[in-house]
Amino acid sequence: MTYSDILIQRILTLCKRRGITCNKLATMCGLNQSTIDNIVRGITKDPRITTLHHIAIGFNMTLAEFLDFRELNEFSFDDYFAETDDPHPESFN
């Protein structure tokens, strides 16, 4: 599973648990619907921390709460860069 897939899964799971659509989430967090759609559709693969912060607020969570879940905690950027041969892993530091 990719980093992007993990974030998509987190957003969709939280939307489902709260009984809201991605469009409603966009309204709740003050982002354009296209921003949320681009993340959920996998077009935006590495959203900015400010975007993730807005999404967390939309879920009435802190950023730390939003990002604290098993799949992300177990994700290894070392493995990710080894698999993708990304020549610029410093962009994640």
Side-chain angles (χ1 to χ4, degrees):
M1 186 175 290
T2 67
Y3 176 75
S4 177
D5 292 335
I6 291 169
L7 290 176
I8 292 166
Q9 180 182 25
R10 178 67 165 168
I11 292 168
L12 294 177
T13 299
L14 289 171
C15 282
K16 184 175 180 179
R17 284 185 192 162
R18 287 167 169 74
I20 61 173
T21 64
C22 288
N23 186 32
K24 178 69 175 172
L25 173 62
T27 300
M28 293 168 61
C29 64
L31 294 172
N32 292 328
Q33 181 181 354
S34 63
T35 300
I36 300 294
D37 286 343
N38 286 342
I39 294 169
V40 171
R41 290 178 29 218
I43 295 169
T44 301
K45 302 218 180 278
D46 186 21
R48 293 179 181 194
I49 195 75
T50 54
T51 302
L52 295 177
H53 190 191
H54 280 281
I55 292 170
I57 290 169
F59 285 125
N60 198 27
M61 304 170 88
T62 66
L63 181 59
E65 290 169 329
F66 176 72
L67 296 175
D68 186 19
F69 62 104
R70 184 181 52 82
E71 293 84 0
L72 187 61
N73 291 334
E74 293 174 356
F75 184 79
S76 169
F77 283 103
D78 291 336
D79 293 343
Y80 172 79
F81 291 121
E83 291 171 8
T84 61
D85 295 324
D86 188 327
H88 303 291
E90 66 276 359
S91 64
F92 280 94
N93 291 333

